[in-house]
Amino acid sequence: ADKTQILPPRTSASQSNHFLPSRGYSIKIGMYYWLCLLGSIVLEVAGTTIMKLSQDGWPLAGMAIMYLLLGLSYFFLARAVLKLPVGVAFAFWEGLGLILITVSSVFLLGEHLDLTRVLALGMVLAGSLLVHHGTDTGPARTDAAELPEKEESR
């Protein structure tokens, strides 16, 4: 009996991770990491909202759910930064998270949303977009020997 390997050979260390989408996955690989980031943001907002909602009636269960959701949030954030620049991922995680938690607090917790908060949230979103568009996504240089030598000006 021929025991030939059926699976395609792995070409890089990142493909050995079983949490990554397979080659036959229907969405683009880049989209997978953005979806991980979005999932991370939603889980973080849900956990924080549940923490606040649960304080009156079921604080221990609420805290347990919050810790579970925040743990999953960080798991998906860690997945996202495998391919997304850390600064971009964190800017979106904080920016969109802040916007969503504010919306959640207005609709679920009865907090007031005034013009100052709306303008501040707009600036947070603009800052996240600026960080994203201002980040070079080229290969990172990790070894000092790879850096070009600076010419001394005389």
Side-chain angles (χ1 to χ4, degrees):
D2 186 10
K3 295 186 179 185
T4 315
Q5 183 179 4
I6 296 172
L7 298 173
R10 293 185 175 130
T11 58
S12 71
S14 66
Q15 289 177 340
S16 67
N17 191 331
H18 66 279
F19 287 109
L20 294 177
S22 65
R23 289 183 187 193
Y25 206 69
S26 63
I27 62 174
K28 293 181 180 178
I29 297 292
M31 181 60 82
Y32 168 79
Y33 298 100
W34 282 103
L35 290 174
C36 284
L37 180 60
L38 182 61
S40 172
I41 294 166
V42 170
L43 288 165
E44 187 257 342
V45 169
T48 305
T49 303
I50 286 174
M51 175 190 64
K52 178 68 174 174
L53 287 172
S54 70
Q55 293 305 305
D56 292 334
W58 35 282
L60 291 178
M63 293 297 277
I65 293 169
M66 178 204 67
Y67 282 123
L68 173 68
L69 293 176
L70 291 180
L72 287 170
S73 172
Y74 275 95
F75 171 79
F76 283 108
L77 179 62
R79 302 299 308 153
V81 298
L82 288 174
K83 296 290 179 182
L84 300 177
V86 173
V88 170
F90 195 72
F92 273 90
W93 191 69
E94 286 292 326
L96 291 178
L98 182 61
I99 290 168
L100 289 178
I101 199 66
T102 301
V103 169
S104 172
S105 70
V106 168
F107 288 107
L108 297 176
L109 303 173
E111 293 183 9
H112 181 67
L113 184 64
D114 58 9
L115 181 61
T116 303
R117 283 178 85 177
V118 170
L119 291 174
L121 293 174
M123 286 188 245
V124 166
L125 183 59
S128 296
L129 292 172
L130 287 172
V131 168
H132 173 58
H133 290 293
T135 301
D136 180 19
T137 57
R141 294 183 179 174
T142 57
D143 190 318
E146 295 176 3
L147 297 175
E149 294 183 25
K150 292 182 181 180
E151 293 183 26
E152 294 183 24
S153 59
R154 294 181 190 216

